[in-house]
Amino acid sequence: MIRYAAGRVLAIVPVLFGVSIVVFLLIRLIPGNPAIAILGERATPELVERVKNQLGLDLPIWRQYLHFLDNASRLDFGPSYFYKQEVSTLTLERIPITLTLIAYATVIGLVIAVPFATWAATRREGLVDHAIRLLFTSVIGIPAFWMGIVLALLLSVRWRLLPLGGVGANLLDTLWHLTLPALTIGLHISPTLVRALRSSLIEVMSSDYVTTGVAMGLRPVTRLFSYLLRNGMTPFISTLGLNIGWLIGGTIIIEQVFGVPGVGSLLITSILTRDYSIIQFVALVLALLVILVNLLTDLTYALLDPRVSFRA
Amino acid sequence: MSVSTLAVARPRRLGGILMGGRSLRIGLVGFALIAVLALLAPWIAPYDPTALGLADGLQPPNAAHWFGTDQLGRDILTRVLHAARTDLQIGTIGVIIPLIIGAVLGLFAGYYAGWPDAILGRIVDVVTAFPFLVLVLAIVAMLGPGLTNFYIAITLVSWVAYARIVRGEALSARGRGYILAARSLGYGDMRIMFRHLLPNVMVPAFVFGMSDFVLDILAGASLGFFGLGVQPPTPEWGVMIAEGRNFIITAPWVVIFPGLAIIVTSFFVSLVGDSASDIVRRVHAP
């Protein structure tokens, strides 16, 4: 297990290196002089000179990259000219709320997905199974922002069940205020979860130990919880990890729609205000989040299923 | 046997009959219908999609305006039909260009294995470390808003998915008899790759292309919604939803219809994609 974990952690190094190159190159995609683009057309020559130095624009490209790495290692991504604050502080203080929203949405997604997937899997190829598949096939196509608007209209404006926007005073209150965004994101990711859990349950159902259990007179409840769900959830965890990108995408959109003060709304706002350094840093932070989640899911999976570390 | 005994006695069969073979056909017909409506939009749409003030603003659906009108008095049905042209184009271009680039690179990596494969593998790892939407947004942010830059961003990001699929298929096919036979006949690498290997490894990539089509339409609409994609007054479903957003309480139809257009289109494409992947799985199964 330790060897597996060490190997898995080492494998991240080249990816991190590549991610840093992509993030570095992003700013170079800006047509024309990036310093002027960052500051706007009316910037003073002195200010332009300062940003050019900060980015190392006079250096050859590989030295610019080293310069970037050097700055990045000190979390120095320059100031935001719109917020008049350091990019890293500005972004990092918004991470907790985004992580809370992601975790909350995952829980809601699971609450929706587990019963439906179980129901579909136990009625495989039956009417219920097909109805559930059709239902979630149509959910895939619902744009997250549209779902957010419609749910807000129904649940907050018409029926006044949930608060619309705002941040709570304490943790519980914050969660209450995040319920509508989390519900939207949870619905957004539910089709992927239902599909993955359904097929992993079906696989478990056809395995010999379940057949043996049933032949020995296993109670349906024991069969469902101790046999099917317990074993079916394990491969499902890696699906959850693989879909973290999809989850983050939905979170970004929904944060902006509901005005949640997280990393996602910061990204969209910064794109609209052309705050390039923030975009760069947020892209880096979210890529790191994906890498971290994938590492954690792999390790959890290996811990739950010892065969993984033996095979590797 | 009456209908009711059939339903009670054999629910599995009934479910299978209802959806099994038909979902592919339903999906294809539905999608074809939308495509035809989109192509014919300039001729069948009742009004001008961009002309302002032709009618009173924010009319609810009625006989003259089936989907109602928006805040500027434009006919929503007309705009939904015209927007279909843009959104279907987003899906199509967003699949075809990355598919071609990814397939060629994946083919090379899978056929030669060794260092080309190792390099491709690293690039795929790096690009997939970014959430899809984040990288697309970041690239569009740098290049500037607009449809062309959106296509550039989509291409830069989503070719890796196709490369990974084709590479995996090519890697497992390169040891097969027909490739060895082609080699022993003295055929060149290019001929083997593109004439023999390519047709045998593309099916999973095409199947993935259908879910990617939905993903691209959703991404395009999201960018349009945030003002980063298609620019107004060109009708696009995401842009229409963004424009109607402020009137959602008094005139929900402005937002509802373009949203339904996205959902219905995605639904039919997903239906085709799911059935196709079921069929492929069944054919590939031992």
Side-chain angles (χ1 to χ4, degrees):
Chain A
M1 177 65 204
I2 292 173
R3 271 190 65 181
Y4 172 77
R8 192 60 194 73
V9 172
L10 271 183
I12 289 180
V13 176
V15 179
L16 287 179
F17 180 65
V19 164
S20 72
I21 294 180
V22 172
V23 170
F24 162 75
L25 287 177
L26 271 179
I27 292 268
R28 274 75 198 169
L29 282 176
I30 303 172
N33 185 344
I36 292 176
I38 288 172
L39 293 166
E41 294 291 341
R42 280 179 294 175
T44 60
E46 296 82 52
L47 213 50
V48 171
E49 204 53 39
R50 228 175 74 194
V51 172
K52 270 172 88 174
N53 279 331
Q54 212 267 330
L55 293 172
L57 287 180
D58 295 326
L59 305 168
I61 189 98
W62 64 273
R63 296 249 335 247
Q64 287 185 32
Y65 174 65
L66 292 182
H67 186 73
F68 167 79
L69 277 188
D70 185 41
N71 282 343
S73 66
R74 283 180 279 111
L75 274 184
D76 178 10
F77 286 79
S80 151
Y81 293 93
F82 183 76
Y83 290 95
K84 309 256 183 281
Q85 213 183 340
E86 282 299 313
V87 166
S88 47
T89 355
L90 191 67
T91 310
L92 294 176
E93 65 187 25
R94 284 164 168 254
I95 286 181
I97 190 137
T98 299
L99 289 183
T100 314
L101 184 57
I102 287 178
Y104 195 8
T106 310
V107 172
I108 294 185
L110 285 174
V111 169
I112 299 167
V114 172
F116 277 109
T118 316
W119 198 17
T122 49
R123 302 274 191 282
R124 191 182 172 190
E125 297 301 321
L127 207 53
V128 171
D129 185 21
H130 285 291
I132 290 176
R133 285 172 77 178
L134 274 187
L135 175 71
F136 283 94
T137 302
S138 46
V139 176
I140 292 178
I142 305 181
F145 55 92
W146 188 84
M147 182 146 54
I149 296 174
V150 171
L151 286 180
L153 177 70
L154 294 177
L155 298 178
S156 292
V157 179
R158 290 270 155 87
W159 301 329
R160 300 186 181 282
L161 292 173
L162 291 170
L164 180 60
V167 185
N170 50 44
L171 181 68
L172 214 63
D173 202 25
T174 306
L175 284 181
W176 176 237
H177 280 91
L178 286 179
T179 302
L180 189 55
L183 176 68
T184 316
I185 304 168
L187 276 169
H188 176 68
I189 58 166
S190 63
T192 337
L193 302 184
V194 169
R195 189 175 293 190
L197 186 57
R198 175 188 172 272
S199 56
S200 105
L201 283 176
I202 285 175
E203 207 181 309
V204 175
M205 271 179 190
S206 55
S207 57
D208 292 339
Y209 62 86
V210 174
T211 318
T212 314
V214 173
M216 287 170 69
L218 209 60
R219 282 190 317 162
V221 180
T222 322
R223 172 174 169 265
L224 179 61
F225 287 97
S226 310
Y227 279 60
L228 297 182
L229 278 177
R230 193 175 158 193
N231 292 294
M233 286 303 267
T234 321
F236 176 64
I237 289 174
S238 58
T239 314
L240 212 58
L242 281 177
N243 284 295
I244 179 75
W246 181 237
L247 176 58
I248 292 178
T251 307
I252 289 171
I253 295 173
I254 290 308
E255 275 189 8
Q256 178 73 2
V257 170
F258 288 106
V260 177
V263 179
S265 54
L266 179 68
L267 176 66
I268 306 268
T269 317
S270 306
I271 294 174
L272 297 172
T273 54
R274 299 177 179 238
D275 218 329
Y276 296 106
S277 324
I278 295 186
I279 301 167
Q280 202 182 23
F281 189 59
V282 170
L284 176 66
V285 167
L286 292 178
L288 292 181
L289 181 63
V290 171
I291 294 172
L292 186 69
V293 168
N294 280 324
L295 175 70
L296 288 179
T297 37
D298 279 3
L299 294 183
T300 318
Y301 193 24
L303 215 56
L304 291 174
D305 186 347
R307 287 172 299 181
V308 174
S309 44
F310 281 123
R311 233 178 281 141
Chain B
M1 198 191 288
S2 73
V3 175
S4 62
T5 47
L6 183 81
V8 173
R10 311 170 82 174
R12 282 170 176 253
R13 274 292 294 284
L14 186 63
I17 292 165
L18 279 181
M19 288 326 303
R22 287 196 190 163
S23 60
L24 181 66
R25 264 173 287 162
I26 294 173
L28 281 174
V29 170
F31 181 69
L33 201 67
I34 294 172
V36 168
L37 286 177
L39 283 175
L40 297 180
W43 295 279
I44 56 172
Y47 301 91
D48 184 315
T50 49
L52 306 176
L54 285 183
D56 288 342
L58 300 179
Q59 286 180 47
N62 56 52
H65 303 278
W66 292 359
F67 287 4
T69 60
D70 67 7
Q71 65 282 8
L72 299 172
R74 296 173 297 191
D75 180 58
I76 292 174
L77 173 63
T78 303
R79 286 178 63 77
V80 166
L81 285 171
H82 277 268
R85 298 166 72 89
T86 317
D87 284 85
L88 292 187
Q89 184 197 325
I90 288 175
T92 313
I93 295 182
V95 167
I96 289 181
I97 301 176
L99 178 96
I100 294 172
I101 296 175
V104 171
L105 293 176
L107 198 61
F108 271 87
Y111 181 74
Y112 287 110
W115 63 265
D117 187 35
I119 292 178
L120 182 82
R122 293 293 83 75
I123 298 177
V124 169
D125 283 349
V126 169
V127 178
T128 45
F130 290 91
F132 171 77
L133 193 68
V134 171
L135 200 50
V136 170
L137 278 171
I139 295 172
V140 170
M142 301 300 162
L143 295 173
L147 203 51
T148 316
N149 290 339
F150 171 71
Y151 288 139
I152 296 175
I154 282 283
T155 306
L156 285 173
V157 179
S158 54
W159 69 269
V160 293
Y162 295 98
R164 181 158 59 181
I165 293 168
V166 171
R167 175 250 172 209
E169 290 289 311
L171 201 60
S172 74
R174 68 194 283 263
R176 297 257 168 83
Y178 66 94
I179 299 297
L180 298 179
R183 278 222 190 98
S184 55
L185 283 170
Y187 291 164
D189 283 347
M190 287 298 149
R191 177 165 177 177
I192 296 176
M193 267 193 282
F194 288 95
R195 294 276 298 276
H196 300 269
L197 200 48
L198 190 67
N200 287 292
V201 298
M202 284 309 287
V203 172
F206 287 137
V207 170
F208 173 76
M210 296 189 209
S211 52
D212 196 34
F213 187 93
V214 174
L215 200 64
D216 289 339
I217 289 189
L218 291 175
S222 304
L223 263 75
F225 178 75
F226 291 125
L228 301 167
V230 176
Q231 298 298 309
T234 309
E236 190 276 327
W237 294 328
V239 172
M240 292 177 69
I241 295 170
E243 288 176 337
R245 191 182 171 187
N246 294 332
F247 311 96
I248 177 83
I249 296 172
T250 48
W253 54 88
V254 184
V255 164
I256 299 293
F257 288 111
L260 288 179
I262 299 179
I263 297 170
V264 170
T265 309
S266 307
F267 176 74
F268 286 130
V269 178
S270 300
L271 219 50
V272 177
D274 288 354
S275 320
S277 84
D278 278 352
I279 293 168
V280 170
R281 212 175 303 134
R282 234 172 283 150
V283 172
H284 274 250

